Every structure is written in C-alpha cells, then in structure tokens.
Amino acid sequence: MSHLTLDSSQIDRARDLARRIAQQVHEDMHRFTTTSVERATLRLMGVDGVDADQVPLPNRLVSHLHDQGLLRHGAAVTVAGAMLDHGLGLQEVAHAVADGRLELQRPKHEAAARREADHLAAYACERIAANRATREAAIAQHGDARTPWLYLIVATGNIHEDIVQACVAAEQGADVIAVIRSTGQSLLDYVPYGATTEGFGGTYATQENFRLMRAALDEVGHKIGRYIRLTNYCSGLCMPEIAAMGAMERLDMMLNDSMYGIIFRDINMQRTFIDQFFSRMVNAYAGIIINTGEDNYLTTADAYEAAHTVLASQLINEQFAYLSGLKPEQMGLGHAFEINPALENGFLWELAHAQLVRQVFPEACLKYMPPTKHMTGNIFKGHIQDALFNVVSVLTRQNIHLLGMMTEAIHTPWMQDRFLAIQNARYVFGNLQDLHAEIQFTPGGQIERRAQQVLADALALLDAIAQIGLPAAIAQGTFADIARTPKGGKGLDGVVPKAADYHNPFPALMLPTSLRHEERVS
C-alpha cells in the first residue's frame, strides 16, 4: 500500500517538541528517587521473600531506611554496608531488620559498601543478560511469528487456571499471552508474594506467577515449535519492582506507559515520572518490549475528536523511552480502533489514524487495540467490528494485535470466545496478507487529508505543551479528558530527594553509554 503524503518537516518538528517536553520532565525528576525504585533495586540485588506477617522484605527494608532518613543516600549502599559491617548475607540483613534485631546506619566504609553494591548489581545484570540470550536463542531456533502478532489475554484470577487457558490459546495460534492484572493491584504499594489463586478481573502479578507462566509457555512452545511471548502489567505504585521481577523471570513484554498511572489511576505525577524511568531502563536492558497506553485515551474521550492527543502522547512516550535506553523495536506504542461505528466513513478514519501512526513510527513495534468502547453485547455485530479492526491492522502492518472479543461488554471471555477471535484474525490476516502491496491511497483523498489534519493538530498540541510543561498540560485535562494535579494523587509520600552522595548501581550497568551519568545530585 502506498504511503500517505505527510509533511516530514511537521513530523520532525513534533518529535523535537516531544523531546524537549520529555527532557524537561526528566531533568526535574532526576533529583528524586522513590520507595518503589529503591525496593526494585533491592529486589534486583537479591532481596526476596516476606516476614512473619507476610510483608515483603523489600518493603520492610525500605520503610526502615525511610524512617531512619537514610533512603536519600540510596538503599543499595546502606544495605551492602550492613552486610560488610555485620558479616551477614543480604537475606540475613533483610530478616534481621524485619525482626527488629538490626538498625541500619550509614556504612563504616563507604567505598567498600559501594563496591559490594556494585558487585551484587553486576551479578543481577548477568542473570538478566542470560535470560535475554535464552529468549534470543529460542526465537532463532523456532523462527519468529509473522506480524501482526496475535496478542491474547487470560484473566481467571487463578494462575493455575490461567496456565491452562494460555497453553490452549498458544496451541490455537496465539503468539503473545498477556496475564491481565487483578483489579486494583496498581494501587497496592507492595507486590503480593507467591502463587495466587484469587483475583478479581485478573490475576495478581507476582514473581512466582511470572515464573510459573513462563515455564508453562516454554513447555507448550517447545511442543508446537514456536516461541510464545509473555506479557504482564508494569504500572502502578510498584512499577519498578514489577519490571525487576519480569526481567528476572524472562517476560517478553510489559505494559509500561509514562502517564497511564497518573491519568487513569490517580497516582502522583512525580512518583510516576520517576518510576517510569527506572522501570523502562530495566525493561530496555532485559530486551522487553513495552506497551504504552494511548488506546485508553479513546475510552474516555471521543476517538475521532481526540485522535491527535494519541499521536502527541505517543511522541512523548517515545522520547521518555529513548531516555531510558529503549530501542525503537522495543516501543510498542499503543493506539486503538475505537471510533463510533455509527459514524459515517468511520472505517476510513480508522485506516487514516493507523497508517499515520505506522508512518510516524516506522521502526516501532506498534500495538493496536480492538474496539471495546462501542461493543454492545450484540455478539454478531461485535464479531464484524473485530473483523474490520483486523483488516486495518493487516493493511497498515501493525506489529502487536490485541485480539478483539465478540463477548466484550458481556463477561470475561471463555476459551471458545478466544478460539473464535483467533480464527477471525487468522482468516483476515491470511486472506489479506499482501493486499497492502496491491492498493494505494488516493492523493488528496479523504484518508490522506484526515491523517494530515491529525498530524497538524498533534503538532499544535505539542507546541502548546512545550510552552507550559507536561505537568501543567496534564493538570488541564489534555489527555483523555482527565485532569490531575502535580501534588495530587497517591504515592507522593514515597518520593524522596536524593542526597549529594546518592548511589544506585544499576543505571551505570544498564543504560547505554551515551545516557549514563552519575546518579547523584550535583
């Protein structure tokens, strides 16, 4: 399919504005750490498990450091210093603090404590690099699935039942399995421990659940001769910790947006911006593809009128991703097929939006979301809506295709619903696989003009945001018609100014050389 005629200077200008917007936020936020970043740091170094009251040990350590006024120096060096000063292992320090037998203090020998923290961090990076190599070897052995990859959600609340559904879905043709998270987990300021069997609207994201599902998908993938990617939700108050757990257990994708938690979960702006940098850095190093959440904007705002906000947000998300070391092929920038089906020529506008995103981000691993807002419970019409969504996806060569369900708006889909969704997509993809090479857009036609208008509107919006700053723009309800204030939301009490001697060993190990800088306040 021929490309739309777009003004490349407008795209370059929009990208430059997004870069300025993201850089300003990064500079403002770099002076702070958070309790969740420090917990993730300790998890990566090897702290695991819970105390006698089932409170995660990373929480116990970080809460203790916070209470002692030590967190601003960085958890890694203080805990490593306690190991050396008391002759204890990392887990022994964690248990001693949790049991009240040890009160942490500044290390007696700062340089030695830093070396020990750096050593533990380097070992963690070796483990993550080995996981990355295992993934690459498996994909090389079996070959990669043809895009658009079929992305399918399981969400029973019971990890063992999820495994059954996931394996069946993989055998039916799914390429990516997403274990949707239990409702409200993003608002928990701790990560549940162990395998879980009860969840509402989803299954809790825990490291053990990650391990169990990864092992099951590896087994079924070996059986059917395909590598099956695993996805979970890296957002909320524990965003960095979930990134760390996913990296350690070889997840392949993470829902990891820079603004989703602010807008849709009312999580504090500072907390989210700081956490998203660290979590994306871990995901980048682990070779994980992130999925952003712009599709959600169109569930609260009109998909036709707000199309430009999606593009503007994608450009900002792209720049935040670059700052964390993510490569374009790891950027699953999100958008959605959500225009009201009663709108005349709606399919043309959906095609215009999808092709616009494809051309603005030619190297990105785009994630295209199905119709949900206007699904009514009429399963026959819903199946047709999903088919049209499938047509746009294959025509515009999307990468990650979240399967639409005809029973959307009725109940959590059953296995047979997923089977029909897979069959619908495979039928459309197979029959239209090369259609994009046989047709072209009408120069100056309705589709092209629509795309040009959305691009122009996105550029104007980015210009306005650059003038007032992203926090102020969010406070005005720029995205999704939802307003959030810089000091509002949950989790602000977990934001901590860094001391001059703050040290975290992971940025120096995980970030590309061009992005590395001393993790301290000058």
Side-chain angles (χ1 to χ4, degrees):
M1 185 161 59
S2 64
H3 280 199
L4 298 165
T5 299
L6 302 173
D7 187 339
S8 60
S9 66
Q10 285 188 326
I11 297 173
D12 292 342
R13 173 67 176 154
R15 190 163 266 121
D16 182 60
L17 287 166
R19 186 179 300 113
R20 286 169 47 194
I21 292 164
Q23 187 64 47
Q24 183 60 59
V25 172
H26 183 66
E27 290 174 2
D28 290 343
M29 295 301 112
H30 185 65
R31 298 177 290 112
F32 301 90
T33 185
T34 70
T35 51
S36 39
V37 165
E38 301 305 316
R39 294 194 305 249
T41 299
L42 294 177
R43 283 182 182 274
L44 287 166
M45 289 169 60
V47 177
D48 193 19
V50 294
D51 67 7
D53 296 319
Q54 300 303 300
V55 177
L57 291 176
N59 285 68
R60 291 300 306 268
L61 275 174
V62 168
S63 293
H64 176 79
L65 289 167
H66 203 2
D67 292 343
Q68 297 292 106
L70 297 173
L71 199 60
R72 62 196 186 97
H73 303 285
V77 176
T78 303
V79 173
M83 293 170 60
L84 299 177
D85 293 345
H86 299 280
L88 298 173
L90 186 63
Q91 282 293 102
E92 290 176 311
V93 170
H95 281 291
V97 170
D99 294 344
R101 293 180 284 110
L102 177 63
E103 183 175 292
L104 296 178
Q105 300 175 342
R106 294 293 294 144
K108 295 178 182 177
H109 305 286
E110 178 82 16
R114 280 201 176 209
R115 286 194 297 271
E116 180 64 18
D118 292 348
H119 170 73
L120 291 171
Y123 181 77
C125 288
E126 289 175 7
R127 174 181 174 181
I128 294 169
N131 280 341
R132 194 171 61 226
T134 298
R135 179 195 300 117
E136 292 167 356
I139 293 173
Q141 177 184 355
H142 298 302
D144 217 343
R146 186 166 63 179
T147 56
W149 292 329
L150 298 183
Y151 176 115
L152 192 143
I153 288 173
V154 297
T156 69
N158 183 324
I159 187 60
H160 304 293
E161 294 179 11
D162 285 349
I163 286 171
V164 173
Q165 293 204 6
C167 291
V168 170
E171 290 176 341
Q172 291 172 351
D175 303 305
V176 183
I177 297 296
V179 184
I180 196 169
R181 194 166 54 180
S182 184
T183 300
Q185 187 178 348
S186 62
L187 301 181
L188 298 180
D189 210 354
Y190 68 94
V191 180
Y193 182 75
T196 64
T197 57
E198 294 181 356
F200 181 78
T203 301
Y204 286 102
T206 74
Q207 188 166 345
E208 179 64 6
N209 285 349
F210 290 178
R211 187 190 69 80
L212 291 170
M213 184 61 82
R214 177 73 273 166
L217 293 182
D218 284 346
E219 183 177 349
V220 74
H222 179 75
K223 173 184 173 183
I224 62 180
R226 286 190 297 121
Y227 184 74
I228 308 300
R229 287 176 166 85
L230 175 58
T231 303
N232 214 284
Y233 289 63
C234 181
S235 60
L237 290 168
C238 295
M239 185 192 301
E241 292 179 86
I242 293 177
M245 297 188 307
M248 289 188 282
E249 300 302 336
R250 191 170 34 92
L251 270 69
D252 307 287
M253 293 184 188
M254 281 287 193
L255 278 74
N256 190 197
D257 189 88
S258 61
M259 295 185 281
Y260 174 87
I262 301 167
I263 296 169
F264 291 98
R265 293 293 178 266
D266 195 19
I267 295 173
N268 176 258
M269 213 176 278
Q270 283 183 268
R271 175 73 173 261
T272 300
F273 284 135
I274 298 163
D275 285 353
Q276 67 86 29
F277 169 77
F278 191 90
S279 62
R280 287 181 170 195
M281 177 189 73
V282 173
N283 286 331
Y285 186 80
I288 290 171
I289 297 169
I290 67 162
N291 298 332
T292 65
E294 283 83 7
D295 55 280
N296 292 282
Y297 298 173
L298 306 183
T299 62
T300 54
D302 182 78
Y304 184 84
E305 299 296 333
H308 65 292
T309 68
V310 169
L311 181 58
S313 178
Q314 288 171 325
L315 285 160
I316 294 169
N317 250 320
E318 176 191 48
Q319 295 306 316
F320 277 127
Y322 279 131
L323 289 169
S324 294
L326 283 156
K327 299 176 181 178
E329 59 267 26
Q330 291 176 274
M331 299 181 194
L333 301 171
H335 57 136
F337 186 101
E338 286 283 17
I339 288 176
N340 189 329
L343 182 65
E344 187 172 22
N345 283 327
F347 182 83
L348 276 66
W349 316 142
E350 297 283 16
L351 187 58
H353 298 170
Q355 182 64 22
L356 171 63
V357 171
R358 178 74 280 171
Q359 287 182 221
V360 173
F361 306 99
E363 298 178 328
C365 189
L366 299 178
K367 181 184 179 185
Y368 199 32
M369 300 288 284
T372 57
K373 181 177 180 178
H374 297 288
M375 298 290 271
T376 64
N378 179 338
I379 61 173
F380 304 105
K381 181 178 180 180
H383 212 41
I384 295 171
Q385 289 174 256
D386 289 336
L388 291 177
F389 158 66
N390 295 340
V391 170
V392 172
S393 190
V394 71
L395 278 180
T396 58
R397 286 162 290 170
Q398 302 297 311
N399 299 91
I400 305 166
H401 181 89
L402 198 152
L403 287 162
M405 297 288 158
M406 65 182 188
T407 48
E408 186 78 43
I410 301 177
H411 58 71
T412 300
W414 293 322
M415 280 192 282
Q416 57 264 39
D417 303 330
R418 295 186 174 92
F419 172 77
L420 290 171
I422 292 171
Q423 291 298 301
N424 185 334
R426 293 180 71 178
Y427 170 63
V428 172
F429 290 176
N431 277 266
L432 303 186
Q433 183 62 40
D434 294 321
L435 183 60
H436 69 274
E438 299 296 326
I439 61 176
Q440 54 187 295
F441 297 108
T442 300
Q446 294 183 77
I447 293 174
E448 188 167 88
R449 294 199 308 272
R450 173 60 184 167
Q452 291 168 343
Q453 184 61 56
V454 173
L455 174 59
D457 290 345
L459 175 58
L461 177 59
L462 287 166
D463 194 17
I465 294 171
Q467 293 181 43
I468 63 174
L470 185 57
I474 294 172
Q476 292 178 0
T478 299
F479 300 106
D481 290 341
I482 298 173
R484 303 296 187 195
T485 59
K487 295 297 183 181
K490 307 165 187 70
L492 179 60
D493 57 347
V495 175
V496 179
K498 294 176 181 176
D501 62 353
Y502 175 84
H503 179 69
N504 188 306
F506 286 102
L509 294 168
M510 290 184 167
L511 286 172
T513 304
S514 61
L515 295 174
R516 292 177 187 173
H517 47 75
E518 192 65 22
E519 287 291 293
R520 56 185 171 85
V521 179
S522 58

